[in-house]
Amino acid sequence: MADDITAESAQTVAAGQLRAFIERIERLEEEKQTIADDIKEVFAEAKGTGFDTKALRTIIRLRKKDAAERQEEEAILDLYKAALGME
């Protein structure tokens, strides 16, 4: 009998923890969507001002990398472009 109560309590605790994790994830997903919508609005505003959003996205992607990583990427691109006669 005591084992049944202990197992039942453990299931209740596990179910509570599971529910808490899922609710936290759901809240974070909502926040993520709100932030994504905000970013989309900023890009639309920039586009309305005359900026090229594709270029903005490229700059943002490049700023996330460190200088050495950017230089390596640029060197590889230059090499590939030269091999294809694009320079």
Side-chain angles (χ1 to χ4, degrees):
M1 172 108 181
D3 287 340
D4 290 342
I5 293 171
T6 304
E8 200 172 300
S9 296
Q11 282 183 330
T12 303
V13 169
Q17 285 179 320
L18 177 60
R19 183 174 288 109
F21 283 130
I22 291 188
E23 289 171 356
R24 282 174 52 198
I25 291 168
E26 288 172 341
R27 277 194 308 276
L28 289 170
E29 289 290 343
E30 287 174 14
E31 290 175 25
K32 184 168 74 170
Q33 185 58 51
T34 301
I35 291 170
D37 292 342
D38 291 346
I39 291 170
K40 189 175 178 181
E41 286 178 25
V42 172
F43 275 111
E45 185 179 338
K47 185 175 184 175
T49 307
F51 290 100
D52 182 318
T53 57
K54 186 175 179 182
L56 289 175
R57 289 180 194 280
T58 300
I59 294 294
I60 291 167
R61 180 180 53 80
L62 289 172
R63 285 173 51 113
K64 290 180 183 178
K65 299 178 181 185
D66 65 22
E69 195 175 3
R70 276 196 309 270
Q71 288 173 348
E72 181 182 348
E73 184 178 299
E74 289 173 11
I76 291 170
L77 283 173
D78 288 344
L79 177 67
Y80 288 3
K81 289 191 303 190
L84 296 171
M86 296 175 64
E87 290 203 0

